[in-house]
Amino acid sequence: MGEAVVVNNLRKVYRVRKLVGKWPADLLSFRWTEVPALQQVSFSMNSGEAVAYVGPNGAGKSTTIKILAGVLRPTEGSVRVFGHDPFRYRIHNSHNIGVVFGQRTQLWWELPVIDSYRMIAKIYGVPRSDLDKRLEMAVDLLELEKLLHRPARTLSLGEKMRAELGSVLLHGPRLLLLDEPTLGVDLSGKRRIRQFLAHLKKIGVTVFLATHDLGDIESTCDRLIMVHQGRIVLDGMVSELLASFGHDIEVRFADDRVEGRSLSDALGLEVSGANGRFVIHGKGTEPPVSVVERLFSLGKVVDISVKAPDLEFVIGSIYDRLSGGQSSCGHTSG
Amino acid sequence: MRTYVGVIALSFRDYQAYRTNMLLRVVTGLIGVMLQAVVWSAIYARRSVLGGFTMTEAVTYVIVSQALMRATVVRSGLELTKKFRSGEITKDLCLPVDLQAYLGAKDLGRSLSASLFVSVPMFLISWVAFRITVPASAGTWCVFLLAWLLGVVLQLLLGFLAGVAGIYTQYGWGTDKLKDAIVLFFSGAIVPLDFFPPGLERLARALPFQSAYYLPLSIYVGKTSLPQALPVLGLQAFWCITLLLLSRVAWTIARRRLSLFGG
């Protein structure tokens, strides 16, 4: 296994031109301002790992991907992809990575998809036998057979994205950098894309997936890194993150005189509801089974259900916490 | 290298996607040819030689020039600026290619396509309709085509430089049109440099732009004989190398700028 990506104390600052004053003075005068995009970002990824990279719009996700791809140079800090500086060794790096930006395509507009594929294979110097093998895999996983002979401009958004994903597979990249690959894609398209990513992960490709789509994360990634305002605020396993949030337990007692207050005191947990029907908000520290057992000892239970926390809720609450619970930028879409 | 040959081949085909468009280009080109023929017949109405050119030589020069102008498709500069603005450049920089060579190869493919399907028909029709002259020796043809190729390379380099300049003005159209206007004027595409006022002619001969049309066309019409052609080719190569170096420096600086401003 070795390390696929090592990022150390990465800082990236953009310069933005701001117009000053009103017309016509603004035609001539402007000021440069520096906008930090990433600050003190450090993380590493082992080969074969699948990491979700989440954060509100403008958090710095795309910037990170562009730096890993060697397109942008970090302002400070060091970045290594398979041991090399991606900006300095851009061309070498590009053989190791496959990059997909949602909404942007490498396919040639006027040509059938298959011709673009052959071209891309030629650009990367892929031997014929490898190309055939990978093409077959892409066609299989992404169900491309009907798209191959159509010009890219005639494809729908979802089809284009599938064709695009197929194209980054052709040179056999060891690391996939994906920037919102399911953006605007319908449900069946998403399902195919997720199958595709899961398969790549299985054959040992390292996946770095920036997304707003929590379904993508649940189906593909083991680990989650969250950025907010250019800083990493969370880095951990998805399963641990979910567990740390605890389960909600819905319970109905036979005796509707049971009081929420006393229940809460007895369990040491937050409780809502009344008249014998309650929701107990578990903590990640205690397994739900033990809470259920304790509930049974507190009275005759007629009905009980345990609801696992979902990622949308978990990430939504973290965003809310980060933005002080008032901004709307923590909104997640499913 | 095989990569870029592949890009040329693909771009060659891509350019032919719209056949009607190709046909219309031939028609537009022929209108330009006719205009030139009318103007130059009028100019020569009362004289037989002007600026050292006979009427047949002058008409041949300007008509072949029209065909060559239709054969050069330089889009890489504008493409570069547009990609820079839209952020599409990010995708191109993820490819294991040199961007200048990649864009240049695309233009070469387009130009080859335009040469074959627009310029050759234009040339053949003009040959029949206006009785333009054709070099007699195969040697002249070879040297002319070589000089023409160097002219195309020069135009690609100029296009790329205009594109890099466009990154700085943020909107590439202006720099690209300025480049086009300068090339059109100083390259002798419309009027042979011999017809320029002496000061202007000297200036035009000191600039690289004559490589694009005047130098190859002088070989075509026989104003530059074969022994004289060698230093001409050398001069063209000199300008190509100079502009190549210049464009490499400009591109390195522009990439740093991209890094500073984001994709």
Side-chain angles (χ1 to χ4, degrees):
Chain A
M1 281 254 273
E3 278 174 323
V5 172
V6 182
V7 174
N8 233 323
N9 251 318
L10 170 65
R11 194 166 83 90
K12 177 73 198 171
V13 176
Y14 289 130
R15 246 169 56 174
V16 179
R17 187 151 78 160
K18 272 214 176 123
L19 298 176
V20 188
K22 283 185 181 156
W23 190 86
D26 66 347
L27 291 173
L28 291 171
S29 58
F30 54 81
R31 240 199 325 252
W32 295 107
T33 41
E34 298 213 321
V35 178
L38 293 172
Q39 297 181 70
Q40 291 154 20
V41 167
S42 300
F43 66 92
S44 61
M45 280 170 71
N46 286 325
S47 279
E49 227 181 341
V51 174
Y53 198 53
V54 299
N57 293 329
K61 299 192 297 293
S62 298
T63 301
T64 310
I65 288 195
K66 284 174 192 165
I67 289 173
L68 292 177
V71 174
L72 299 182
R73 190 166 60 166
T75 309
E76 267 170 42
S78 84
V79 175
R80 292 288 176 274
V81 176
F82 297 110
H84 293 284
D85 175 348
F87 185 82
R88 225 178 127 197
Y89 301 98
R90 178 179 70 82
I91 290 182
H92 172 86
N93 188 48
S94 62
H95 283 283
N96 284 328
I97 62 169
V99 193
V100 174
F101 295 99
Q103 322 283 36
R104 251 169 227 160
T105 179
Q106 193 56 61
L107 301 172
W108 290 49
W109 208 232
E110 310 291 355
L111 295 177
V113 172
I114 184 75
D115 288 5
S116 287
Y117 279 11
R118 295 222 173 88
M119 186 63 242
I120 289 164
K122 206 170 267 173
I123 289 177
Y124 282 94
V126 181
R128 189 61 197 265
S129 55
D130 286 355
L131 176 64
D132 290 346
K133 215 168 54 202
R134 287 171 193 152
L135 193 60
E136 201 188 304
M137 182 159 90
V139 167
D140 225 37
L141 289 166
L142 294 159
E143 293 169 51
L144 296 176
E145 64 278 356
K146 289 203 186 95
L147 313 183
L148 282 181
H149 298 283
R150 283 166 52 192
R153 70 182 151 86
T154 66
L155 302 181
S156 73
L157 183 67
E159 290 171 333
K160 222 176 279 168
M161 189 42 76
R162 269 152 59 205
E164 180 73 15
L165 278 163
S167 77
V168 297
L169 181 84
L170 303 174
H171 62 287
R174 293 197 281 160
L175 167 66
L176 271 189
L177 303 170
L178 306 160
D179 195 355
E180 308 206 31
T182 57
L183 193 66
V185 176
D186 69 20
L187 287 173
S188 79
K190 278 185 185 176
R191 188 176 46 80
R192 289 187 187 122
I193 290 174
R194 287 169 189 165
Q195 278 173 4
F196 173 75
L197 295 179
H199 180 83
L200 288 182
K201 191 184 144 201
K202 214 167 72 192
I203 60 173
V205 176
T206 314
V207 178
F208 187 73
L209 173 63
T211 186
H212 286 294
D213 195 314
L214 306 171
D216 291 351
I217 302 173
E218 280 172 326
S219 63
T220 316
C221 304
D222 318 307
R223 190 175 137 204
L224 182 142
I225 297 177
M226 191 186 288
V227 271
H228 181 69
Q229 295 176 348
R231 292 169 197 273
I232 289 183
V233 290
L234 193 112
D235 182 351
M237 303 308 282
V238 174
S239 55
E240 284 169 16
L241 179 67
L242 289 174
S244 75
F245 263 73
H247 293 57
D248 274 359
I249 298 167
E250 275 181 47
V251 66
R252 190 152 70 90
F253 289 104
D255 183 355
D256 62 8
R257 284 166 305 172
V258 174
E259 273 188 27
R261 182 74 171 275
S262 56
L263 203 60
S264 172
D265 288 344
L267 294 168
L269 294 169
E270 212 179 300
V271 172
S272 55
N275 298 334
R277 293 163 178 268
F278 301 99
V279 179
I280 290 107
H281 306 290
K283 284 183 186 155
T285 44
E286 186 184 5
V289 183
S290 112
V291 179
V292 170
E293 276 171 1
R294 292 205 284 150
L295 276 172
F296 277 115
S297 71
L298 289 171
K300 187 167 168 13
V301 171
V302 193
D303 192 13
I304 191 160
S305 68
V306 178
K307 227 179 87 200
D310 66 0
L311 207 52
E312 180 161 353
F313 171 74
V314 169
I315 289 180
S317 4
I318 299 176
Y319 279 7
D320 284 347
R321 212 187 300 154
L322 288 170
S323 53
Q326 24 121 14
S327 146
S328 65
C329 73
H331 204 79
T332 59
S333 56
Chain B
M1 197 59 212
R2 268 180 50 208
T3 302
Y4 301 109
V5 173
V7 175
I8 291 173
L10 201 72
S11 175
F12 177 75
R13 276 188 47 206
D14 196 47
Y15 195 72
Q16 294 156 29
Y18 301 106
R19 317 251 150 110
T20 326
N21 190 40
M22 289 294 235
L23 189 69
L24 291 178
R25 277 169 200 274
V26 177
V27 175
T28 325
L30 284 172
I31 292 173
V33 165
M34 249 148 57
L35 185 71
Q36 286 282 19
V38 170
V39 169
W40 288 91
S41 305
I43 291 172
Y44 276 95
R46 288 198 205 137
R47 10 171 126 76
S48 55
V49 179
L50 185 62
F53 278 65
T54 63
M55 180 168 129
T56 317
E57 282 170 344
V59 169
T60 301
Y61 180 103
V62 293
I63 286 179
V64 176
S65 176
Q66 289 288 319
L68 294 185
M69 280 163 74
R70 299 280 157 184
T72 332
V73 187
V74 184
R75 293 199 187 149
S76 49
L78 217 50
E79 215 178 328
L80 178 73
T81 321
K82 253 190 352 216
K83 279 169 188 270
F84 218 91
R85 257 162 59 89
S86 69
E88 207 193 312
I89 197 159
T90 303
K91 274 254 74 166
D92 288 289
L93 287 174
C94 291
L95 292 173
V97 290
D98 178 88
L99 199 68
Q100 186 182 11
Y102 178 64
L103 292 176
K106 273 176 147 182
D107 271 347
L108 267 183
R110 291 180 186 123
S111 297
L112 267 172
S113 222
S115 303
L116 207 59
F117 295 102
V118 180
S119 299
V120 169
M122 267 176 76
F123 176 81
L124 292 176
I125 294 170
S126 307
W127 183 37
V128 175
F130 301 102
R131 282 181 238 126
I132 57 175
T133 55
V134 169
S137 80
T140 308
W141 269 111
C142 288
V143 176
F144 159 68
L145 287 175
L146 189 60
W148 160 240
L149 192 67
L150 283 167
V152 172
V153 171
L154 183 107
Q155 291 199 67
L156 291 179
L157 291 165
L158 287 171
F160 188 80
L161 275 166
V164 174
I167 290 168
Y168 287 86
T169 59
Q170 306 214 341
Y171 194 70
W173 195 81
T175 51
D176 200 66
K177 286 291 155 208
L178 178 67
K179 181 262 305 174
D180 282 351
I182 291 172
V183 170
L184 201 65
F185 189 83
F186 285 108
S187 66
I190 306 289
V191 179
L193 299 187
D194 312 68
F195 290 49
F196 280 22
L200 217 50
E201 187 188 342
R202 240 175 291 131
L203 178 64
R205 285 182 189 277
L207 292 170
F209 312 107
Q210 56 168 344
S211 259
Y213 295 99
Y214 180 70
L215 295 179
L217 285 168
S218 299
I219 294 167
Y220 182 96
V221 295
K223 292 285 157 197
T224 304
S225 65
L226 276 188
Q228 288 167 324
L230 201 65
V232 166
L233 293 175
L235 181 69
Q236 288 185 298
F238 163 78
W239 278 118
C240 282
I241 291 165
T242 308
L243 289 175
L244 179 66
L245 294 176
L246 201 63
S247 61
R248 298 314 288 191
V249 173
W251 175 233
T252 310
I253 295 168
R255 261 208 84 192
R256 239 178 260 157
R257 185 179 170 94
L258 174 72
S259 252
L260 208 56
F261 293 86

